[in-house]
Amino acid sequence: MRLFTVISSVLFLAVSAFGQNATISGKVTYGNDIPLHDANVQIVQTRQSVRTDTEGNFTLTNVPPGRYSLLVHLEGFSDATRQITVASGASQTINFQLQISAIREDVTVTASGTEQTTFDSFQTVTSIGPGRAIEKASTSIGEVLDGEPGVAKRSFGPGSARPVLRGFDGDRVLVLENGIRNGSVGSQSGDHGEPLDPLAAERVEIVKGPATLLYGSNAIGGVVNVIDHTDDDYTDGVRGYVKGVGGTADKQGAIGGGVEYGINRWLLRGSFGAQRTGDYQTPLGEVPNSASRSTTGSFGAGYYGEKAFIAGKFNADVRRFGIPFAALFEGGGEEPKEFGELPDVDEDIDLRMRRYNVRFNGGFRDLNNSFLRGINYAVDYTDYRHKEIESEDGIDEVGTTFSNKVFNYRSVFEQQQYQRLTGRFGFEGFNRDYEVVGAEQLIDGKIRQNSFSVFGLQELNFDRVKFQFGGRVENNRYRAEDPQYRDRNFTGFSGAAGMNVGLWDGGAFVFNYTFSTRAPALEELYNNGPHIGTVTFEIGNEDLTKETSNGFDFSLRHTSQRFRFFGDVYYYRINNFVFLAPQDEDGDGDVDIEDGLPVSRFEQEDAEYVGAEISAEATFNSWLGGFASFDVVRAKLVDQDINIPRIPPARAKLGLDFRYEGLSLRPEVVFASAQTKLFPLETRTAGYGLLNVAGSYTIGRQHYAHIFSFNAYNLTDKLYRNHVNLVKDLMPEIRRGIRVGYTFRFF
């Protein structure tokens, strides 16, 4: 009987231990073991989270056995993650030391619509924190992101630079602000920028490859999401930042700041920013009319309860920037007689932009519902307008006015985990009123676009193997005020399936297949007339049909404390690819010219994109690390075997990261090959090599930090040109210079 009792007790304890959940505890510090309070520590897969106390300590209880990603987030610091395996009934102690300035960020919310690590994401994501943004500070988001793996900049001058992802440009790259379209018209014209302030961003996330499932048909090439300091959680007290930037080669000056105050579950927020640059210098001299200036501001408030929150915010963005050499295409100057000279221009053309935006968002979380875990929703209205200003002898005259008013709405429903299945689904739509008046009136009268879509994304998790699949149905309708235009309707389906296989501890292989559908853009259907922004006389095509794309992505990844590697290979076949085709109506063998510009019409043909990206970072010891990246893409029209225009050349980057206490020093060399794969009418750009040195020094304390940064660029004063610049033959890139920045954060 006694033996039976003993055996029963042992079996009972074993069964109890097997079913017992675990405890994870630790401490979050900065620098010389300075404790960080109010940092959010979260298990990504289960959404369990806790905040650190005044000594930086945290404890997560009742954690089921399994493999997880543990994420630590505190605004102003780089996110930190750790891959952990939790055994039944065990207790683990895991400490984190955060950094303010780092080469990389570890978290993304854009790729799957919910917070996860970039390593766990099915799509390839680059996440950039505020430290990197201030080192490359600019009035345009394209200038800041240029040089990231798989990212180039399309520009008609520094003020209008826009990201190009894997060679995709225009309406195939979607630029978001906090997950919502920003209402600009920058996609279809090289001289129209994006009204976003990079200095006000807490994080910029770049999703490369088709992101149409969650964000829409014009995300066929990828998404850039600029995320500000707004958090959907409550924090007591005051926190904020102040930033300042100065630069030499473009006479840059910038200042900005933001503050958030929490009391009784209410959060009040405000921010401001002002930036200016002068005409920038090149090894050939100063580029006339390349100056820019911008002023931004926002204020808002929100209530954040335990289970629900609601917030509202108003944003204003006012800016003016020059369009270098634009007057040459209107007969305002003479081109240089020899290549390598900067031309003289008798008239300046500027773009004066303003954007007013109102947004309400809210949600419900941790719902006691057998099906739904949470709901998020947003309603957004943008009133965007810009005027193209022609200046001569000190007199400004408005040439063309572009107006774009957009009402967005979006709601996402987060499902409760059911065994191994998690997911989310939702709907979104927008109503757009677009109008152009003046000299460059490419469309007569107002055009209205209405879009509505439903989508879903699901994931099955089998520990070392995960599957993701989903679909989206989207309808776009175009209605013209002028009866000369035809109304068009497009309904398309997009779908995707992916597999993530854990190969070893910290290693994974990811495969994705995507079928994406893109409706033609409004401008592609209806534009007709001289368009300086594309340096062509554009002819729209109301007979365009939907683009469909089949894409294959292969990714090999590894992440650990000492080494991080992402390698990607991709192939996209796009049927009915829309492009501007040069016209020769008179059959003389030369491209037709009208209003001094080559005539091009929007036509369709099958296309292929194939490329690769590699990024790696290593920590050799406590004071030395290194980083490297490489990207290449080829794109062509299949039937004619013609290269697609403005595809970036192959590029490589190699650098070191010297660290000592609060000091980080990062010299790097950048190489770009010559671009000889050219579209008709396109000219070759030579290869080049650049030497840059960036660095920062941080003085951190428990409740505040001072960050001093600098970026010395093009130190060899190399004359080089950006192949994706629409006027690259006239306008080289910036010469040798240095940019210095200062940030004060309090938390």
Side-chain angles (χ1 to χ4, degrees):
M1 184 68 180
R2 182 176 298 177
L3 179 60
F4 175 78
T5 302
V6 172
I7 293 173
S8 299
S9 300
V10 171
L11 289 174
F12 174 77
L13 291 173
V15 171
S16 300
F18 182 78
Q20 185 178 359
N21 289 338
T23 299
I24 303 172
S25 59
K27 189 171 186 177
V28 179
T29 60
Y30 163 76
N32 296 322
D33 294 328
I34 299 170
L36 293 176
H37 77 289
D38 226 23
N40 188 59
V41 184
Q42 181 187 74
I43 300 175
V44 175
Q45 288 78 3
T46 66
R47 299 296 183 83
Q48 293 172 264
S49 65
V50 68
R51 289 188 176 270
T52 56
D53 61 20
T54 56
E55 298 301 317
N57 297 312
F58 70 90
T59 301
L60 287 158
T61 59
N62 201 30
V63 180
R67 293 170 55 84
Y68 302 110
S69 296
L70 197 60
L71 168 68
V72 180
H73 173 77
L74 180 62
E75 184 179 357
F77 291 82
S78 296
D79 293 315
T81 61
R82 193 80 56 83
Q83 307 296 319
I84 61 172
T85 300
V86 176
S88 178
S91 296
Q92 292 192 49
T93 300
I94 301 175
N95 297 323
F96 290 89
Q97 189 173 57
L98 302 189
Q99 296 180 340
I100 289 181
S101 179
I103 296 174
R104 60 184 170 88
E105 290 284 312
D106 279 318
V107 67
T108 172
V109 298
T110 309
S112 65
T114 187
E115 196 165 69
Q116 63 180 172
T117 67
T118 55
F119 177 81
D120 291 325
S121 168
F122 276 77
Q123 289 189 277
T124 300
V125 184
T126 301
S127 186
I128 298 169
R132 194 64 171 270
I134 199 170
E135 288 177 2
K136 300 185 68 176
S138 172
T139 53
S140 67
I141 190 66
E143 291 280 341
V144 172
L145 302 183
D146 182 36
E148 296 297 326
V151 186
K153 64 174 180 181
R154 181 209 69 191
S155 72
F156 208 125
S160 62
R162 191 176 191 270
V164 172
L165 305 184
R166 292 183 170 178
F168 288 101
D169 187 14
D171 191 57
R172 299 178 185 88
V173 173
L174 185 57
V175 178
L176 307 175
E177 183 180 39
N178 293 317
I180 298 290
R181 299 163 188 263
N182 66 14
S184 79
V185 295
S187 64
Q188 289 295 309
S189 184
D191 59 347
H192 300 170
E194 295 289 347
L196 296 167
D197 182 8
L199 288 181
E202 177 64 20
R203 189 168 69 247
V204 181
E205 297 180 7
I206 309 161
V207 179
K208 288 165 283 188
T212 51
L213 289 191
L214 290 178
Y215 299 104
S217 65
N218 53 339
I220 200 169
V223 164
V224 173
N225 191 10
V226 180
I227 300 170
D228 65 16
H229 294 257
T230 303
D231 204 351
D232 291 339
D233 204 356
Y234 175 75
T235 305
D236 265 323
V238 181
R239 58 180 179 175
Y241 66 94
V242 177
K243 298 180 180 181
V245 178
T248 59
D250 56 358
K251 299 181 283 293
Q252 181 184 23
I255 188 171
V259 65
E260 180 180 273
Y261 177 59
I263 182 172
N264 296 329
R265 312 298 301 187
W266 283 92
L267 284 176
L268 307 176
R269 302 183 175 99
S271 68
F272 75 97
Q275 186 169 182
R276 68 165 300 280
T277 64
D279 293 340
Y280 78 89
Q281 299 288 331
T282 77
L284 294 179
E286 184 175 272
V287 175
N289 199 38
S290 58
S292 65
R293 63 177 183 265
S294 66
T295 304
T296 62
S298 70
F299 64 86
Y303 181 79
Y304 297 83
E306 293 291 339
K307 296 287 186 179
F309 72 94
I310 186 170
K313 191 176 184 179
F314 172 78
N315 293 277
D317 189 310
V318 179
R319 57 186 65 205
R320 179 168 177 165
F321 54 86
I323 312 299
F325 308 118
L328 290 176
F329 308 105
E330 293 187 350
E334 297 182 359
E335 294 193 37
K337 296 180 180 179
E338 296 182 8
F339 184 78
E341 298 178 13
L342 293 177
D344 295 324
V345 181
D346 298 330
E347 179 186 22
D348 290 337
I349 296 180
D350 289 3
L351 194 147
R352 187 167 65 202
M353 175 196 300
R354 67 111 172 102
R355 172 181 178 258
Y356 301 140
N357 172 260
V358 178
R359 177 175 301 183
F360 293 95
N361 69 293
F364 304 89
R365 51 197 168 204
D366 300 327
L367 297 177
N368 295 322
N369 184 292
S370 60
F371 180 59
L372 291 179
R373 179 162 63 183
I375 303 172
N376 285 285
Y377 59 87
V379 178
D380 181 285
Y381 177 74
T382 293
D383 183 357
Y384 171 96
R385 186 184 68 197
H386 80 247
K387 298 180 178 181
E388 295 182 357
I389 311 297
E390 300 174 0
S391 301
E392 190 171 7
D393 298 327
I395 300 175
D396 287 355
E397 182 179 342
V398 178
T400 310
T401 300
F402 288 74
S403 174
N404 199 49
K405 297 179 180 180
V406 184
F407 174 73
N408 288 283
Y409 54 93
R410 177 180 174 91
S411 186
V412 179
F413 301 85
E414 187 80 14
Q415 299 163 208
Q416 292 281 9
Q417 182 169 339
Y418 176 72
Q419 296 180 357
R420 297 184 180 274
L421 179 68
T422 59
R424 61 210 57 87
F425 61 93
F427 64 87
E428 73 171 335
F430 66 88
N431 302 318
R432 174 191 182 193
D433 287 334
Y434 177 70
E435 187 174 18
V436 185
V437 178
E440 199 177 303
Q441 186 169 345
L442 300 171
I443 297 175
D444 294 328
K446 186 180 295 184
I447 303 275
R448 168 164 289 186
Q449 179 183 0
N450 294 315
S451 178
F452 180 78
S453 56
V454 293
F455 56 87
L457 192 66
Q458 304 293 308
E459 186 173 311
L460 281 168
N461 191 338
F462 295 95
D463 292 332
R464 286 196 174 274
V465 179
K466 296 182 292 184
F467 297 94
Q468 189 182 80
F469 53 93
R472 181 187 186 96
V473 177
E474 178 175 321
N475 175 258
N476 285 277
R477 303 179 303 282
Y478 297 100
R479 300 291 182 265
E481 187 177 68
D482 194 314
Q484 69 173 303
Y485 301 119
R486 290 164 46 198
D487 294 340
R488 296 298 311 273
N489 295 320
F490 300 93
T491 300
F493 170 79
S494 298
M499 178 176 65
N500 185 318
V501 181
L503 301 178
W504 56 80
D505 189 18
F509 170 77
V510 182
F511 167 74
N512 283 291
Y513 165 74
T514 55
F515 174 81
S516 301
T517 302
R518 184 181 80 92
L522 182 155
E523 295 85 349
E524 295 168 346
L525 292 168
Y526 302 116
N527 272 6
N528 196 319
H531 192 183
I532 303 302
T534 57
V535 198
T536 57
F537 187 98
E538 285 186 13
I539 301 176
N541 185 349
E542 296 182 55
D543 294 323
L544 294 176
T545 60
K546 295 176 293 186
E547 284 184 355
T548 58
S549 168
N550 289 279
F552 301 88
D553 285 75
F554 304 87
S555 179
L556 182 65
R557 305 172 183 176
H558 174 81
T559 183
S560 65
Q561 291 294 100
R562 288 191 169 273
F563 184 64
R564 175 183 167 98
F565 173 87
F566 279 67
D568 299 276
V569 177
Y570 55 88
Y571 170 80
Y572 308 124
R573 171 73 180 234
I574 305 174
N575 299 320
N576 299 318
F577 180 83
V578 179
F579 68 103
L580 273 171
Q583 301 296 295
D584 180 17
E585 292 293 334
D586 56 16
D588 63 356
D590 296 322
V591 176
D592 298 337
I593 301 295
E594 190 163 344
D595 287 350
L597 296 170
V599 177
S600 295
R601 184 174 185 265
F602 285 104
E603 295 182 357
Q604 292 183 292
E605 187 176 317
D606 294 350
E608 289 181 342
Y609 281 70
V610 59
E613 299 160 0
I614 295 173
S615 63
E617 300 163 15
T619 299
F620 305 129
N621 52 44
S622 61
W623 56 272
L624 180 62
F627 55 93
S629 66
F630 170 78
D631 60 70
V632 62
V633 58
R634 286 287 312 278
K636 66 178 182 178
L637 302 172
V638 177
D639 293 341
Q640 302 182 54
D641 195 25
I642 293 177
N643 297 301
I644 290 173
R646 293 188 299 279
I647 297 299
R651 301 173 305 175
K653 181 189 297 184
L654 187 65
L656 295 173
D657 183 14
F658 297 95
R659 298 182 299 269
Y660 179 73
E661 295 183 349
L663 176 67
S664 173
L665 190 65
R666 299 185 302 282
E668 67 177 24
V669 288
V670 179
F671 301 100
S673 68
Q675 182 55 285
T676 58
K677 309 297 183 183
L678 305 175
F679 184 74
L681 303 182
E682 195 175 23
T683 56
R684 175 186 183 274
T685 47
Y688 58 85
L690 303 176
L691 173 63
N692 308 315
V693 179
S696 63
Y697 181 72
T698 303
I699 303 172
R701 297 295 182 265
Q702 187 174 4
H703 297 289
Y704 66 89
H706 302 275
I707 307 105
F708 304 88
S709 63
F710 76 92
N711 182 17
Y713 47 85
N714 194 7
L715 291 177
T716 60
D717 210 22
K718 179 71 175 178
L719 174 64
Y720 70 106
R721 300 174 189 270
N722 171 25
H723 190 77
V724 196
N725 188 327
L726 282 94
V727 287
K728 61 181 182 296
D729 295 334
L730 303 176
M731 185 170 60
E733 294 300 293
I734 197 165
R735 69 168 306 167
R736 178 195 299 122
I738 187 170
R739 183 180 294 113
V740 295
Y742 167 71
T743 302
F744 174 69
R745 287 187 176 272
F746 50 97
F747 38 83

